[in-house]
Amino acid sequence: AFAAGGCDYVTKPYRVDELLARISVHVRLRRAEQELNRRNEQLESLTRQLSEANAELADLSRTDAITHLLNRRAWQDAAQQEHKRASRYGSEYSIIMVDVDHFKAFNDTQGHQRGDECLIRIAKCLKTVCRDVDLTGRYGGEEFVVLIPQTGGQAASNLAERIRQSIWDMGIAHPASSVAKRVTASLGVATYTEGESWESVLRNADDALYLAKRAGRNMVHAMSQSLQLEESENSACTLTKHETAPVESKTERDHEARVLVVEDNPASAKLCEGSLTRAGYAVATASTGDEALKKVDSFGPDVILMDVLMPGMNGVECTQHIRRDPEHYDVPIIILSARDEDGDVLAGLDAGADEYLTKPIHTKELLLRVRSMVSLYRERRELLRSYKLRGEHTRVLSMVLELCETLRAASTLEDTFEHLIRVIEQITGCKRVSIMLPDEDEQYLKIVRCIGIKPQIASKIRIPIGAAHAGKVYESRTPVIVNNPKENSLLGEGYESRYFASMPMIAMSLGTPSESVGVLNLTDRPDDQPFQPHELEYVDLIAKVAGTAMQAIRGSQARSEARDSIMLALAELAERRDRYTGRHVDRVSEFSVMIADQLRQTEPYASVIDEEFISYLKRAAPLHDIGKVAIPDGILLKPGRLSMKEIAIMRTHTTIGAETIRSVACKSLGTPFFEMAEQIACYHHEWWDGTGYPSGLAGEEIPLPARIVALADVYDAMTTDRVYKDSIDHDEACTIILNLSGTQFDPNITEAFHQQCDKLKRLSIELADPPVDSSAEDTKTGSQLASTSWQI
């Protein structure tokens, strides 16, 4: 028993007090065991939490709290280990120092919380650009540091440039920055050489960073070990200046850049001109402020070197004049001043200058500053161009979205034409725009909507499909774009002056990739300016959107017409089972429309019954008795009185009709026509006083379309022969209906019926059934039901 798992035993016969004592002991042991397990679990949980806390603490001791990069101490420890590895195996590594430009100003203007967010984004940028094996850390404040194992100087410089470009591309707004009003970074690069300490490599990277900042910021400075801090013509340094897309080579950039030197000292002017010319810049000089203003207009410089002290108009005044010129207000200006003339420098900066150089001029610093300002100017222009293009894209996309919403709500092709032409005119500026659709025989294209073409001319234009520009575009779905007469001649046919006012012109297909619906023609551009690539993209996009919508509308109309025709045919088929009903569905439809037309002359129906309501009512009224298809002939065509059981079966035609229409409507969601048709089929036998069927609705609970058709149906039933009754004359029918106002019929609808009585009489005569063969077997006993037939 013990081997099987038992923990104690009692021999029989047993004593109760002994048994209870043993049970009590084992209960205490069990509880003690459970308590011990619980405490063990708590201890294990505490151990895990302690382990996690220790790991988190160790991680916190190594990572920066804001950026989650290595902190300074952890990075230095890792750098020492990498240095030892490189020293042992003779490999190389590089260090990149990164400093966020004007970060104090960012904190002062944006707040420290935004400053922390900026540092976090830059840290993520570093992690994204760098490899997993690279050691990335926050060195302090706005400075970051990256150690790149197994990487030489050129590769490190390339990585540093990618980091700088990525920070630029983030586009973090910095109102206090002088560089495109966004956050930028300066970077210094240094590479380890054998025998050098890691502290020395770090110091060289820091020195390179200092030179990058001094040269204008937002750049990468890579320094060799032998580079000294003082600038000289022989200093061994390379500078990689930032670029904006599209990236240009240094040679192309320097060759194209233009520098205007405004200096009245011939020696200084010659020094600047010679240095800049050798560096590949185009240089012009001016010795006075007045001459400088003329050269600015004629030469169009990318950078201006402006001396402060000049005869006549001084440099500060000249700078102010340039800044007021809308054509050249953003050209970078570098103030030239003697070292002891700080007041002149401040005055020049206040006047709008971007940088300053102190005399005597060091050639290396001059070239660095000019290169920085050239790049700054071009970035400004590129940024303005991109802003303008982005604004244009936003405007066009807004118009396209608005057009999409309009086309989505459009129910006919005509609804799309006006919106399409308006959008095309606003986007392209074309004064002559036309939409062409094929005729019924698919032989010719004709203008269905246009601007800039006289209506009498537009109505006569017929272009054979497959011929001329528009005909070929419709057939091939390939656009024709002609920006000048030479391009038109290359197409192998003459210019169609009858259809297009001037070049350039576009003929573009409207439709889907597999089928054309029509052709969109554009011409008569302002000043005959050729279409730009982005404009062609806009037109193509709009043509596809509009063409797809037009194709959908055509398909929807075709499906709707086919569906309506089928439903109407079914309704007529149901009626023609009784040879006495004849044109009943036509008359009920027309009567209903006449009553609704009169009803909408009064409130509150004027806001409910509109043209769409009338259109749906005319199409839905013929379906009121479609449920009769399920009623047996023995009941439907019975000439005598119906039994109560037969009456119950006959009344099911309302619910059967509603279910039949609903089964079709569920496949055409959002179609008001089917909703109205279902209401009419189901409720046109409901009475105003609530005694009708199938649901016993009363008053305005009965849908308005059903109330209208109910009266029209009874009037037609009274005034025409049926298998179970003879007709009564118009006046008698009107009297009966008026007497039933407020019981069977809505009083307002009865009044509208009364207003249209004469017209209804004429219409019932026009739509009267043809004579029925008198020899047909017919034993009417309708006289017994004449007074109550309309109630059934």
Side-chain angles (χ1 to χ4, degrees):
F2 282 128
C7 57
D8 202 346
Y9 76 96
V10 178
T11 59
K12 296 181 180 180
Y14 53 80
R15 293 169 55 190
V16 174
D17 55 347
E18 180 185 359
L19 178 63
L20 294 176
R22 288 179 182 271
I23 290 175
S24 177
V25 169
H26 286 295
V27 167
R28 289 197 302 272
L29 289 175
R30 175 59 177 165
R31 289 175 177 172
E33 181 182 8
Q34 290 175 336
E35 179 66 18
L36 182 61
N37 289 337
R38 187 181 65 81
R39 290 179 178 274
N40 284 339
E41 290 176 356
Q42 289 180 344
L43 182 60
E44 290 177 359
S45 177
L46 290 173
T47 302
R48 285 195 301 271
Q49 292 177 12
L50 181 61
S51 177
E52 292 173 357
N54 287 335
E56 185 176 354
L57 183 61
D59 186 60
L60 289 174
S61 67
R62 290 179 49 81
T63 59
D64 176 64
I66 296 177
T67 63
H68 299 293
L69 300 178
L70 293 175
N71 58 28
R72 182 168 181 168
R73 179 178 177 181
W75 184 87
Q76 288 178 339
D77 292 342
Q80 290 178 0
Q81 293 300 320
E82 182 59 36
H83 177 77
K84 291 177 181 179
R85 186 180 299 106
S87 300
R88 178 177 180 84
Y89 296 106
S91 58
E92 60 183 353
Y93 65 86
S94 297
I95 293 178
I96 301 175
M97 291 287 290
V98 183
D99 185 88
V100 183
D101 297 328
H102 303 296
F103 190 71
K104 182 179 184 302
F106 185 90
N107 268 336
D108 292 342
T109 57
Q110 303 296 302
H112 289 281
Q113 183 175 356
R114 294 289 301 277
D116 290 346
E117 293 173 358
C118 175
L119 294 177
I120 291 171
R121 292 185 64 181
I122 291 176
K124 289 181 179 179
C125 176
L126 291 175
K127 294 293 290 183
T128 301
V129 176
C130 297
R131 305 170 299 180
D132 292 339
V133 296
D134 298 336
L135 304 176
T136 308
R138 184 183 179 191
Y139 203 67
E142 68 273 19
E143 286 189 328
F144 298 87
V145 63
V146 182
L147 189 147
I148 320 165
Q150 303 288 331
T151 304
Q154 185 58 49
S157 296
N158 293 339
L159 174 61
E161 174 58 22
R162 290 200 300 273
I163 293 172
R164 187 210 63 76
Q165 185 66 46
S166 298
I167 294 173
W168 170 271
D169 290 341
M170 285 193 298
I172 303 174
H174 188 347
S177 172
S178 60
V179 183
K181 300 303 180 183
R182 64 171 67 184
V183 170
T184 60
S186 301
L187 298 92
V189 182
T191 302
Y192 163 75
T193 57
E194 189 175 356
E196 186 180 11
S197 66
W198 75 270
E199 292 91 345
S200 176
V201 181
L202 181 63
R203 187 166 53 251
N204 287 337
D206 192 41
D207 292 342
L209 172 63
Y210 172 77
L211 287 178
K213 283 189 163 295
R214 187 176 176 185
R217 296 183 174 85
N218 191 28
M219 63 176 63
V220 176
H221 195 174
M223 182 182 291
S224 68
Q225 180 187 13
S226 61
L227 181 66
Q228 302 300 316
L229 286 179
E230 59 271 14
E231 298 182 52
S232 67
E233 289 294 326
N234 298 322
S235 58
C237 70
T238 60
L239 186 68
T240 306
K241 187 67 184 75
H242 62 278
E243 296 292 338
T244 55
V247 178
E248 302 170 319
S249 68
K250 176 185 173 183
T251 303
E252 291 172 342
R253 185 181 67 250
D254 291 349
H255 177 72
E256 293 176 357
R258 298 183 176 193
V259 181
L260 174 62
V261 179
V262 185
E263 173 64 75
D264 64 328
N265 187 318
S268 296
K270 186 175 181 180
L271 173 63
C272 294
E273 182 180 9
S275 300
L276 293 168
T277 302
R278 286 193 296 272
Y281 295 99
V283 182
T285 61
S287 57
T288 65
D290 292 328
E291 184 183 0
L293 294 179
K294 295 177 181 179
K295 287 288 181 70
V296 167
D297 289 330
S298 61
F299 185 59
D302 295 312
V303 175
I304 300 173
L305 297 178
M306 181 74 69
D307 186 24
V308 174
L309 297 178
M310 292 186 297
M313 182 188 297
N314 62 33
V316 173
E317 295 171 338
C318 186
T319 299
Q320 291 173 339
H321 276 283
I322 294 173
R323 287 293 177 250
R324 289 194 294 266
D325 183 356
E327 291 292 328
H328 307 289
Y329 73 95
D330 59 343
V331 176
I333 299 176
I334 301 175
I335 288 290
L336 304 178
S337 175
R339 291 182 182 275
D340 57 352
E341 295 173 343
D342 292 340
D344 292 337
V345 173
L346 294 176
L349 294 176
D350 288 339
D354 299 275
E355 265 290 1
Y356 72 92
L357 276 174
T358 56
K359 297 180 180 180
I361 297 172
H362 295 281
T363 306
K364 186 66 178 180
E365 183 177 1
L366 170 67
L367 296 177
L368 290 175
R369 296 289 180 91
V370 169
R371 180 175 295 173
S372 176
M373 289 296 105
V374 167
S375 184
L376 172 63
Y377 180 50
R378 293 191 170 179
E379 281 176 352
R380 284 177 180 171
R381 289 189 299 181
E382 176 64 22
L383 191 61
L384 290 174
R385 189 194 68 81
S386 66
Y387 282 164
K388 182 178 179 181
L389 188 59
R390 191 174 303 170
E392 178 68 10
H393 285 169
T394 302
R395 184 180 73 90
V396 171
L397 287 177
S398 298
M399 296 176 67
V400 172
L401 287 175
E402 181 183 353
L403 178 65
C404 289
E405 287 297 318
T406 304
L407 295 181
R408 186 175 65 84
S411 58
T412 64
L413 289 177
E414 289 72 17
D415 293 338
T416 68
F417 296 154
E418 192 66 36
H419 298 288
L420 174 58
I421 287 182
R422 177 177 57 82
V423 170
I424 288 293
E425 180 187 15
Q426 292 179 356
I427 290 177
T428 65
C430 291
K431 299 303 180 184
R432 178 173 288 200
V433 182
S434 62
I435 299 173
M436 308 186 81
L437 297 183
D439 58 13
E440 295 179 357
D441 299 328
E442 291 279 338
Q443 298 295 318
Y444 294 91
L445 292 175
K446 60 181 181 180
I447 294 178
V448 294
R449 188 64 59 86
C450 65
I451 58 172
I453 305 176
K454 293 180 179 180
Q456 58 269 30
I457 296 178
S459 62
K460 297 178 181 178
I461 293 177
R462 294 289 186 274
I463 297 181
I465 293 178
H469 292 333
K472 289 182 178 179
V473 168
Y474 179 81
E475 190 174 60
S476 66
R477 300 187 298 279
T478 302
V480 171
I481 302 167
V482 180
N483 270 332
N484 55 63
K486 182 178 179 181
E487 292 179 0
N488 189 69
S489 63
L490 294 176
L491 295 175
E493 57 183 83
Y495 178 62
E496 301 167 348
S497 58
R498 291 182 298 164
Y499 314 128
F500 301 105
S502 62
M503 293 185 189
M505 53 80 58
I506 296 176
M508 189 164 290
S509 171
L510 293 169
T512 63
S514 59
E515 183 179 0
S516 284
V517 176
V519 177
L520 175 67
N521 301 309
L522 295 80
T523 187
D524 199 3
R525 290 268 287 176
D527 300 325
D528 294 335
Q529 291 295 317
F531 290 99
Q532 299 302 313
H534 64 276
E535 292 178 312
L536 298 177
E537 292 177 1
Y538 298 155
V539 174
D540 181 57
L541 172 62
I542 293 171
K544 288 178 179 177
V545 169
T548 302
M550 292 166 64
Q551 185 77 309
I553 290 172
R554 280 180 46 175
S556 176
Q557 289 176 338
R559 290 191 298 272
S560 179
E561 291 172 2
R563 184 173 58 239
D564 293 354
S565 298
I566 293 172
M567 295 295 288
L568 185 58
L570 289 174
E572 291 178 349
L573 180 63
E575 293 295 338
R576 287 178 182 176
R577 292 175 61 198
D578 180 359
R579 61 181 179 273
Y580 287 96
T581 57
R583 302 180 65 182
H584 171 65
V585 294
D586 297 332
R587 290 192 297 271
V588 170
S589 177
E590 294 297 334
F591 294 161
S592 299
V593 169
M594 291 179 68
I595 294 171
D597 241 339
Q598 178 63 38
L599 194 61
R600 71 169 168 175
Q601 306 300 321
T602 60
E603 292 294 343
Y605 303 103
S607 59
V608 177
I609 302 177
D610 54 13
E611 290 299 328
E612 187 176 54
F613 182 97
I614 297 292
S615 173
Y616 289 151
L617 181 64
K618 186 172 183 178
R619 294 158 56 199
L623 304 180
H624 68 284
D625 276 340
I626 193 172
K628 287 183 178 179
V629 294
I631 304 302
D633 285 349
I635 297 175
L636 184 66
L637 305 179
K638 184 177 180 179
R641 182 184 296 274
L642 301 179
S643 67
M644 295 306 297
K645 183 177 180 181
E646 290 170 334
I647 289 175
I649 295 174
M650 185 67 178
R651 289 183 173 183
T652 61
H653 80 278
T654 56
T655 54
I656 292 172
E659 291 171 0
T660 301
I661 296 172
R662 191 180 306 121
S663 66
V664 178
C666 69
K667 300 179 176 62
S668 307
L669 297 178
T671 306
F673 160 68
F674 284 116
E675 182 180 350
M676 182 181 290
E678 182 183 345
Q679 291 174 350
I680 292 172
C682 189
Y683 302 119
H684 72 284
H685 282 290
E686 297 286 1
W687 280 31
W688 183 255
D689 62 4
T691 60
Y693 67 90
S695 302
L697 301 181
E700 294 187 353
E701 292 179 348
I702 308 169
L704 178 60
R707 305 201 306 264
I708 295 172
V709 172
L711 194 151
D713 183 34
V714 168
Y715 171 74
D716 187 65
M718 289 180 177
T719 55
T720 55
D721 289 334
R722 294 295 174 91
V723 67
Y724 51 83
K725 73 169 196 66
D726 292 321
S727 63
I728 61 178
D729 63 30
H730 168 77
D731 293 336
E732 184 180 355
C734 290
T735 301
I736 294 174
I737 288 174
L738 292 176
N739 290 334
L740 292 173
S741 176
T743 55
Q744 184 170 348
F745 304 119
D746 180 345
N748 292 326
I749 295 177
T750 306
E751 178 61 27
F753 166 80
H754 180 66
Q755 296 291 331
Q756 294 285 336
C757 267
D758 294 339
K759 294 181 180 179
L760 289 167
K761 181 178 181 179
R762 289 195 297 271
L763 185 60
S764 63
I765 296 173
E766 292 175 8
L767 298 177
D769 297 331
V772 180
D773 185 3
S774 60
S775 63
E777 294 183 10
D778 210 349
T779 57
K780 296 181 183 176
T781 58
S783 57
Q784 303 170 358
L785 302 173
S787 62
T788 58
S789 60
W790 52 89
Q791 300 175 22
I792 298 175

